[in-house]
Amino acid sequence: MLKTAPLVSTYLFKQKPGAKPWQSSVNLHIVIVGHDDQPAWKIRDQFWKKQITYDEAIHHLSAFFTTLDPWKNKRSWAKWLTKTYKIRWNQETGFSSLNRIHEQFRYRYPTVHLAELYLRAMIHNGWQFYRNQGLKQGIHHQELTLFWYRNRMLNQLEEIIVRSSYENVKYLQKRKRRLYFEI
């Protein structure tokens, strides 16, 4: 049964007649899809041919619950649904990560608030560019998160600041100017 069960199943959910003044029902479609652009039916075939274990198969599968009506070709519909939700999920997490780049502050002046907003947008755009370049080079998406991008940028900024301050100290020492502190 599991070997030939459909990857898109429809279930009817109804309320009891006495639950509401007017009875309602909804058709819910459960769609099983694979991760990393692998079709679910291929993962299921690999499991039944004993090429992968049950835990590996479950790790490579996900399920969508949707009220959208499927197309006649359910495989292409599942692929379209996966791409659509992936785009939508990336947009939503992009906006939420944009708000989490810096702590929220309440500024008295709108120009400071606007400058912070522009800075957040620049950091977010830089991260998206870094992420896209990494994906093109074949780097796994877990290594391209905002956390890793921020750590990389902080390390680079620290190196630039240390290098420039060291060069400034050397320049001042060359000119025999008095320093407030010695490095």
Side-chain angles (χ1 to χ4, degrees), residues 140-157:
H140 197 268
H141 63 87
Q142 289 177 344
E143 298 172 15
L144 302 172
T145 60
L146 181 61
F147 173 78
W148 290 110
Y149 176 72
R150 284 173 46 189
N151 284 343
R152 184 174 154 252
M153 293 307 295
L154 283 173
N155 290 338
Q156 287 179 353
L157 285 173

Side-chain angles (χ1 to χ4, degrees), residues 36-115:
D36 299 327
D37 296 331
Q38 275 191 325
W41 60 272
K42 282 188 180 178
I43 296 169
R44 182 174 62 183
D45 288 348
Q46 289 174 355
F47 171 69
W48 284 106
K49 291 177 184 174
K50 308 241 188 258
Q51 294 172 349
I52 58 174
T53 64
Y54 177 77
D55 291 334
E56 290 172 341
I58 292 299
H59 181 72
H60 290 296
L61 294 173
S62 293
F64 280 107
F65 299 94
T66 182
T67 56
L68 295 173
D69 290 327
W71 305 337
K72 288 182 182 179
N73 187 347
K74 293 185 180 182
R75 284 185 183 174
S76 64
W77 180 71
K79 192 174 182 179
W80 171 83
L81 188 69
T82 305
K83 285 182 182 179
T84 305
Y85 274 96
K86 192 173 188 179
I87 290 169
R88 181 174 179 210
W89 185 80
N90 281 336
Q91 288 173 349
E92 288 176 358
T93 56
F95 285 123
S96 65
S97 66
L98 185 61
N99 290 331
R100 281 184 272 122
I101 288 174
H102 300 291
E103 279 84 21
Q104 295 289 329
F105 294 108
R106 292 180 186 244
Y107 294 108
R108 179 176 288 184
Y109 303 106
T111 53
V112 177
H113 186 69
L114 189 62

Side-chain angles (χ1 to χ4, degrees), residues 158-175:
E158 286 173 0
E159 288 175 11
I160 291 169
I161 290 170
V162 168
R163 192 178 330 117
S164 67
S165 63
Y166 184 73
E167 290 170 1
N168 287 341
V169 167
K170 280 189 155 189
Y171 175 77
L172 290 174
Q173 285 175 345
K174 204 185 268 187
R175 297 271 184 170

